Amino acid sequence: MRLEDIIGNKVPPDAFKLFSVFARYEYALKRSGFRARRDPFADWEAFAKELPVEFFGRATAIPSARILIEAPPEKLKTNASGGVEWRSDVAPAYDSWTLIQAVKRVRNNLFHGDKHYDRDRDLKLTLASLDVLNCAYEIVAGTEGNERFSNFIIEFSMDY
């Protein structure tokens, strides 16, 4: 059996959705100028800090997004013995940047596979992250001057 067949049957469809949306966001961020100074990486912090003020209020008013504030995703840290452990002492999101950081942490925790999938909690975190990214897109797409970012999000083609 091929690994993609084994893994494909174990990764929930909503996690694949988050991976796809997150990847598209990173592409659009880089292509529209939100890049780290000398690196080819998406600058999520710059993007978050340029979101209109109403983003945080609108995003956190989404019922699913409350988990990102009330029970934020944990961080994987190195412990004293050189192993890794989950840290639950993560501060709740309090502005656009810390909310986007929580979404990034959800994606990283799922994508890097350093844990087992907690079906209920991880599904809630995944859906909350998708809702927050959709909220940011709706706000950005409706803001004058952000056509490049919006176009890079929607002009997705994978012709083979």
Side-chain angles (χ1 to χ4, degrees):
M1 182 171 273
R2 298 173 57 90
L3 287 175
E4 59 267 27
D5 297 328
I6 296 168
I7 294 167
N9 294 330
K10 297 188 188 272
V11 177
D14 290 310
F16 278 122
K17 287 179 190 174
L18 179 58
F19 297 157
S20 298
V21 167
F22 197 91
R24 195 67 203 160
Y25 247 91
E26 292 217 316
Y27 170 78
L29 289 172
K30 291 185 282 187
R31 297 286 297 181
S32 62
F34 290 102
R35 270 189 313 274
R37 290 185 188 224
R38 287 177 274 233
D39 295 316
F41 306 113
D43 189 344
W44 285 91
E45 183 175 6
F47 172 72
K49 289 182 177 180
E50 283 199 25
L51 286 168
V53 173
E54 73 264 15
F55 164 72
F56 184 73
R58 279 181 53 185
T60 56
I62 300 168
S64 68
R66 293 305 307 162
I67 192 170
L68 296 170
I69 306 265
E70 296 166 1
E74 297 177 341
K75 281 186 177 181
L76 192 63
K77 295 284 191 178
T78 305
N79 61 25
S81 63
V84 293
E85 62 187 32
W86 289 101
R87 301 268 316 267
S88 60
D89 59 343
V90 178
Y94 56 86
D95 63 8
S96 296
W97 171 224
T98 57
L99 184 60
I100 294 295
Q101 283 180 305
V103 169
K104 287 181 61 182
R105 197 173 322 112
V106 169
R107 179 262 184 200
N108 291 345
N109 289 350
L110 290 173
F111 188 77
H112 295 296
D114 288 324
K115 61 185 263 177
H116 78 283
Y117 189 78
D118 176 337
R119 195 163 297 283
D120 184 53
R121 177 165 166 74
D122 286 328
L123 178 60
K124 288 177 183 174
L125 288 166
T126 299
L127 294 175
S129 297
L130 284 166
D131 287 343
V132 167
L133 291 173
N134 279 311
C135 179
Y137 173 72
E138 289 169 10
I139 288 174
V140 169
T143 304
E144 189 175 324
N146 290 316
E147 294 82 9
R148 282 179 47 88
F149 174 79
S150 299
N151 288 338
F152 285 124
I153 287 278
I154 60 175
E155 74 169 32
F156 184 57
S157 173
M158 291 185 74
D159 296 328
Y160 293 98

